[in-house]
Amino acid sequence: MLDELSTDRTGLSVDEAARRLVVDGPNELPQARPSNPVLTFLRQFHDILIYVLLASAVITFLIGDWIDAIVILAVTVINAIVGLIQNGRTQKALDGIRAMLSLTAKTRRAEEWTNINATDLVAGDIVRVEPGDKVPADARILQANLLRIDESALTGESLPADKDAASVDADSGVGDRHDMLFSGTHVTAGDGTAVVTATGLDTEIGRIHSLVNATRNTATPITRQLNSFSKRISVLILVVAAVMLLVGWLLHGSSLGQLVPATIGFAVAAIPEGLPALVTITLALGVRQMASRRAIVRTLSSVETLGSVTTICTDKTGTLTRNEMTVRTAVTPAARYDVEGTGYAPKGAIVNSDGNDSTDRSDLDALVEAFALCNDAHLTSTGEDWQVVGDPTEGALRALAAKAGFDGASYSRHAVLPFSAEAKFMAITSHKAGGDTRILLKGAPRVVLDRCSHELGAGGVKRPIDRPEWERIVNDLSATGLRVLAAARSDTVTDSEQLSADDCESGLVFLGVAGILDPPRAEAVAAIETMHTAGIRVKMITGDHPGTALAIAMEMRIAQEGSRVLTGDVVHRMTDEELAEAAPDVDVYARTSPEHKLRIVTALQSRGQVVAMTGDGVNDAPALRRADIGVAMGIKGTETTKEAADIVLADDNFATIGRAVEEGRRIRDNLQKSILFLLPTTSAQALVLLLAVVIGFTLPLQATQILWVNLITAVTLSLALATEPAEPGIMQRPPTRFSRGILDRSYFARIVWVTALITTATIGVFFYEESIGSSSAEAQTTAVTMLTLAQLAFLFSCRFLRASSLRLATLRGNRAIYVSGGILLLLQFGFVYAPFMHPWFHSAPLGIREWAYTSAIAVLIFVLTEAGKGAERVHMRRSMRRLTQSKVWR
């Protein structure tokens, strides 16, 4: 490696380093050129829905309703401001990565060690790292002394990685390159020297920076569906308006002075200008609700998208698991013990799994003694919260000792042989007051077994070690995802103050093993079951080894025994097409890199999946940006990850994702209810005017009266459904396919049916009033009242999408229904009886008769709507029955 970089262990000369700096550039990540804020702001208006809003504002202004025009324009400006704020998220994510880089570096220049700015490092520099340092560049290790590096931000592994100078295969993943240091990682123990191999964008963290920069957010389902809906309704309104003009002019000979106001009135009635505000308010209420469930939402549209999620890709450590190592099993030569309790809290029983209730536990005491004393960690508590200071694995052994009742006060440690990556064991000499001095050793099972000739049986009796049996036990424990440590001792001590590797080379007594695991969160297991019931696939993508990953996935009920595990190197060799073919059926991925995660998410999306991706390290940022929903951990997540995410979990708990998905489905349901309410009511208003022009009768409604109905329903009824509680069984149904429109096609018949009912009622009462001699103003006022009451009745029907509303539950559970209904009626009373309203809206006072029969017709519309929903349910059951029969026939 030194020859390849044209350097040696004495380092580069000052002149050569300066020359390479000019050629290679500084060791930093480039800062993106800031975009013009004015252009960025104007770009927010480039959206079909905004065009519809602007068109409706122009139309309302042309007919003289400048107040509504200003309100609609205000909605578009607010939307643009929100978009402008969100546009800065990518830059913040990149800045977060840049902030991870080291500021200074210890390097050897002109055969002397010196501190320089990390930006001045070049390939070929010799650097030195010590505990607490940030690694300043990617570097190949030349010499290491008990060197351990926290690479969690790159690999997702919670434990520090042991580093040494031994070479590894060139195609090894980042987590397996123990001969390399990576820029931005942290030195937790030991020291070493290395030669810089890559700087700036050529480093691993630089490649992640490039991935974040190149990765584009995908359009969310609600965005795609609203765009599609807006395009269709815009075209339909233009076509129908043109037909109105032609029919009225050519067929009825009406003048343009008569037709243009009617056509404008039709357009105003048909355009659902309240839709964007309705969607925004519904999503905003969802954001507030999710915050109370410890899910902080960064983008409004992601609230609804959660309701459409079909696949969740999640990390293991700290999300599915507690990120607290725990001893699950202890095996001695005499017995096997199950250890209860989780985390570092010293609470939980140790139970003999063989069913032997013998009070003699000298075998367990000996094992616990070795693990507790040959240990540099200690536990601290704040109330009920226990934390480890030191290595998490040693913390788990400390908790085991506390559960076993071990008291180390009477013991003293003397000589210590520290753990090293090469030796893979730690040893001490320990003296018990009034007792013996012993050598205690703990480490990797194979290493400990190599040094043992005997094992400690029941009653403290030594016997020859049964190595094949212990190898079987270790393999069985490892196969279940446990990290296995072994312990041994020697009663022969020549010098308690001195200890070397030779003193514990052979002749030790084997005490047993402990199986350690980062335990699954109980609530996460239940959440995964809920996800599966809801038709959502959960996939685990981790930096762990395949065996550990599969064992945890089986315990979490993500995978089954024998399930396929794809490793990072296999993913790397796959083409995009091969990965897209395999990804939907694979639920466990191990030893993955940032590129692998990004490709997995992209592959799933190419198969029509709506993907949520969780992450906490900077290595997760590209995949989080690419996913339909990026979910970052709020506690242990990096700032880079949080900036790249759509949702931040305040408690780092997978179960919170489950609650957020449920909330997302509730919000999607409420959006559907609100839109299902909005479309027939606006369609009915438009159809009244359309029929009047096409058939040639007197307009039952004035344009200003339509605006009045739009105004009072927009500020009252349309918003009432946004606060509806979740319907029963919301997490027992499959996700809504994003390929469907914002409303299912099955609702089309209901929209037509309700539109026809309200239109017929409105026109009918208008002609009825004219036929009995009422004035034009009284007839139109009655028609407006009919339209308003019919919409109020339809609102109650919309409380349940599919289920019948002919039940008492329709009358309770949502106070907003009654508040909005009461406000609507007060405003309508003002429209009818306030004298100053009459010249503005051509209205007139009504009597009890008009209110009574229009109310009765409104109730009839509610009943007939429910009859239509009943027919829909019958049709759906028959369709499902035919589908089932056809599958059986095949």
Side-chain angles (χ1 to χ4, degrees):
M1 180 60 71
L2 292 173
D3 292 338
E4 293 176 17
L5 296 168
S6 300
T7 188
D8 57 37
R9 291 177 183 269
T10 62
L12 299 173
S13 67
V14 174
D15 292 341
E16 175 61 16
R19 186 191 68 79
R20 295 189 184 193
L21 185 62
V22 172
V23 174
D24 298 336
N27 176 35
E28 62 184 4
L29 303 180
Q31 201 156 5
R33 183 179 178 182
S35 57
N36 187 309
V38 175
L39 293 178
T40 304
F41 178 74
L42 293 177
R43 205 174 292 124
Q44 308 307 315
F45 291 90
H46 182 56
D47 183 273
I48 185 65
L49 195 60
I50 301 301
Y51 295 155
V52 173
L53 276 177
L54 293 173
S56 63
V58 171
I59 292 170
T60 52
F61 183 79
L62 288 176
I63 65 174
D65 190 1
W66 55 272
I67 295 178
D68 268 13
I70 290 174
V71 170
I72 296 170
L73 285 173
V75 171
T76 65
V77 172
I78 292 171
N79 182 78
I81 292 172
V82 171
L84 183 65
I85 293 171
Q86 296 301 331
N87 192 69
R89 292 172 59 232
T90 298
Q91 188 58 44
K92 287 185 179 180
L94 298 176
D95 290 342
I97 294 176
R98 194 177 296 107
M100 291 182 63
L101 302 182
S102 177
L103 299 177
T104 61
K106 302 180 187 74
T107 187
R108 194 169 177 82
R109 294 273 176 89
E111 302 187 12
E112 292 184 1
W113 289 104
T114 181
N115 284 331
I116 67 170
N117 288 331
T119 55
D120 294 334
L121 279 179
V122 295
D125 265 326
I126 305 299
V127 295
R128 182 168 63 196
V129 293
E130 297 171 344
D133 287 348
K134 269 187 182 180
V135 177
D138 285 8
R140 171 68 163 84
I141 296 173
L142 300 176
Q143 176 272 328
N145 179 34
L146 307 179
L147 185 60
R148 307 190 81 191
I149 307 292
D150 178 4
E151 296 180 338
S152 58
L154 283 179
T155 65
E157 293 196 54
S158 55
L159 296 176
D162 297 315
K163 296 291 182 175
D164 57 56
S167 299
V168 299
D169 293 337
D171 59 352
S172 298
V174 172
D176 295 321
R177 295 185 212 167
H178 56 75
D179 62 344
M180 288 290 296
L181 304 178
F182 296 106
S183 179
T185 58
H186 293 264
V187 181
T188 60
D191 57 68
T193 58
V195 57
V196 174
T197 58
T199 60
L201 284 175
D202 295 328
T203 62
E204 283 295 321
I205 202 168
R207 294 197 305 97
I208 295 173
H209 179 279
S210 299
L211 283 173
V212 173
N213 204 18
T215 304
R216 295 181 177 273
N217 293 93
T218 55
T220 61
I222 187 67
T223 303
R224 292 190 290 261
Q225 292 163 1
L226 281 175
N227 284 341
S228 175
F229 174 77
S230 300
K231 288 176 184 176
R232 292 178 182 178
I233 201 167
S234 300
V235 172
L236 180 63
I237 290 171
L238 291 174
V239 170
V240 175
V243 170
M244 279 182 66
L245 279 171
L246 291 174
V247 170
W249 184 37
L250 298 176
L251 188 62
H252 300 293
S254 302
S255 67
L256 289 178
Q258 294 174 311
L259 290 174
V260 169
T263 304
I264 291 175
F266 164 79
V268 170
I271 293 175
E273 63 266 23
L275 179 60
L278 174 66
V279 171
T280 301
I281 292 172
T282 303
L283 295 179
L285 291 173
V287 167
R288 188 178 65 179
Q289 183 67 23
M290 283 192 179
S292 69
R293 292 186 163 207
R294 307 188 68 77
I296 311 303
V297 178
R298 293 172 49 81
T299 55
L300 279 181
S301 60
S302 59
V303 177
E304 185 275 338
T305 307
L306 271 170
S308 304
V309 164
T310 60
T311 302
I312 297 177
C313 299
T314 179
D315 189 17
K316 173 183 72 69
T317 306
T319 307
L320 297 178
T321 60
R322 296 172 57 91
N323 199 19
E324 296 178 344
M325 303 302 287
T326 303
V327 176
R328 279 286 186 83
T329 301
V331 184
T332 70
R336 184 186 185 105
Y337 298 92
D338 294 329
V339 184
E340 299 176 353
T342 58
Y344 301 119
K347 299 178 181 178
I350 301 177
V351 181
N352 190 320
S353 59
D354 299 330
N356 185 355
D357 295 329
S358 171
T359 57
D360 179 18
R361 289 195 172 186
S362 57
D363 56 325
L364 178 63
D365 294 338
L367 179 65
V368 167
E369 176 188 338
F371 280 145
L373 298 177
C374 199
N375 194 318
D376 291 327
H378 65 275
L379 304 177
T380 62
S381 66
T382 304
E384 295 294 318
D385 184 29
W386 286 80
Q387 299 292 332
V388 61
V389 179
D391 184 84
T393 302
E394 291 193 334
L397 298 176
R398 282 284 187 195
L400 171 68
K403 292 174 184 177
F406 176 77
D407 183 6
S410 59
Y411 293 85
S412 59
R413 276 186 12 172
H414 296 275
V416 177
L417 198 61
F419 177 86
S420 70
E422 293 82 4
K424 298 188 181 302
F425 72 87
M426 173 185 180
I428 66 165
T429 57
S430 172
H431 177 73
K432 183 177 182 181
D436 300 328
T437 299
R438 291 171 172 159
I439 294 176
L440 300 176
L441 180 144
K442 82 168 192 304
R446 180 184 59 79
V447 173
V448 178
L449 286 169
D450 286 344
R451 286 162 170 74
C452 295
S453 57
H454 291 76
E455 60 185 35
L456 190 68
V461 178
K462 296 180 184 178
R463 64 191 185 205
I465 191 168
D466 185 354
R467 177 153 185 163
E469 176 63 13
W470 283 111
E471 289 177 345
R472 184 193 64 78
I473 291 171
V474 170
N475 289 335
D476 289 347
L477 292 175
S478 299
T480 62
L482 296 174
R483 183 183 183 189
V484 184
L485 286 181
R489 79 183 188 197
S490 172
D491 296 328
T492 305
V493 182
T494 56
D495 184 354
S496 64
E497 302 301 327
Q498 299 291 330
L499 183 63
S500 69
D502 293 338
D503 295 327
C504 43
E505 187 65 27
S506 62
L508 302 184
V509 178
F510 193 76
L511 302 177
V513 296
I516 304 171
L517 184 72
D518 183 6
R521 293 176 181 262
E523 62 271 27
V525 177
I528 289 171
E529 282 292 316
T530 302
M531 297 293 186
H532 289 164
T533 303
I536 300 171
R537 197 91 174 247
V538 180
K539 298 180 183 293
M540 188 172 78
I541 307 177
T542 179
D544 275 331
H545 291 279
T548 303
L550 180 59
I552 294 294
M554 289 170 56
E555 188 161 0
M556 302 297 302
R557 299 174 190 170
I558 292 174
Q560 298 176 341
E561 187 172 355
S563 294
R564 186 181 180 188
V565 180
L566 274 187
T567 57
D569 57 340
V570 175
V571 171
H572 182 73
R573 292 193 298 269
M574 283 181 161
T575 65
D576 290 342
E577 292 75 17
E578 289 172 338
L579 183 58
E581 186 68 29
D585 298 321
V586 177
D587 293 326
V588 184
Y589 298 85
R591 309 306 279 173
T592 53
S593 71
E595 291 91 343
H596 301 150
K597 293 181 179 182
L598 181 58
R599 289 189 63 206
I600 292 165
V601 170
T602 305
L604 291 167
Q605 289 173 328
S606 72
R607 286 296 186 265
Q609 302 294 309
V610 178
V611 182
M613 174 77 192
T614 73
D616 55 6
V618 66
N619 60 325
D620 298 317
L624 261 63
R625 282 207 68 214
R626 174 66 195 181
D628 298 283
I629 292 289
V631 182
M633 303 297 111
I635 299 173
K636 66 186 180 73
T638 63
E639 289 305 313
T640 301
T641 312
K642 295 175 189 176
E643 290 296 341
D646 302 292
I647 294 175
V648 178
L649 301 186
D651 56 2
D652 288 11
N653 193 338
F654 184 83
T656 302
I657 303 177
R659 293 191 289 269
V661 168
E662 180 180 356
E663 185 65 20
R665 289 192 173 189
R666 183 188 74 84
I667 291 165
R668 181 179 176 82
D669 278 0
N670 289 351
L671 274 175
Q672 285 196 324
K673 291 173 184 178
S674 298
I675 295 170
L676 188 59
F677 168 78
L678 199 62
L679 290 183
T681 53
T682 55
S683 299
Q685 296 167 27
L687 189 58
V688 168
L689 295 180
L690 177 64
L691 292 175
V693 172
V694 171
I695 297 174
F697 56 79
T698 306
L699 291 177
L701 301 171
Q702 299 282 341
T704 53
Q705 292 170 342
I706 290 175
L707 278 173
W708 167 257
V709 175
N710 281 349
L711 177 64
I712 63 173
T713 55
V715 299
T716 57
L717 303 187
S718 297
L719 302 180
L721 294 169
T723 58
E724 279 291 308
E727 291 194 23
I730 196 170
M731 291 297 282
Q732 277 79 51
R733 68 189 191 209
T736 303
R737 293 196 306 271
F738 76 90
S739 56
R740 292 182 179 178
I742 198 165
L743 283 178
D744 293 344
R745 291 181 180 177
S746 57
Y747 292 124
F748 179 73
R750 192 186 310 177
I751 292 171
V752 172
W753 174 238
V754 175
T755 299
L757 290 175
I758 297 177
T759 302
T760 302
T762 303
I763 295 175
V765 298
F766 173 77
F767 282 118
Y768 171 73
E769 289 297 320
E770 280 200 329
S771 68
I772 62 174
S774 299
S775 67
S776 177
E778 289 173 336
Q780 288 184 334
T781 303
T782 307
V784 171
T785 303
M786 180 71 260
L787 188 59
T788 303
L789 294 177
Q791 293 186 26
L792 179 59
F794 181 49
L795 180 72
F796 282 91
S797 176
C798 289
R799 289 201 63 193
F800 296 95
L801 284 171
R802 300 286 186 189
S804 173
S805 295
L806 292 171
R807 48 180 170 170
L808 290 177
T810 307
L811 301 177
R812 53 177 181 259
N814 186 1
R815 286 181 55 201
I817 293 286
Y818 293 100
V819 172
S820 61
I823 295 173
L824 173 78
L825 292 175
L826 285 175
L827 291 172
Q828 186 61 21
F829 284 146
F831 174 86
V832 173
Y833 298 113
F836 66 88
M837 297 287 277
H838 299 162
W840 289 1
F841 294 99
H842 310 287
S843 58
L846 300 179
I848 295 177
R849 177 184 63 83
E850 290 87 348
W851 282 101
Y853 85 81
T854 53
S855 298
I857 294 174
V859 173
L860 179 61
I861 287 175
F862 171 78
V863 173
L864 292 175
T865 301
E866 288 304 306
K869 285 170 66 177
E872 287 177 25
R873 292 193 295 272
V874 171
H875 176 72
M876 287 180 65
R877 283 195 293 269
R878 287 177 179 174
S879 298
M880 290 298 296
R881 195 178 300 120
R882 285 196 297 269
L883 181 61
T884 304
Q885 290 172 347
S886 66
K887 288 182 178 179
V888 172
W889 176 256
R890 288 185 199 143

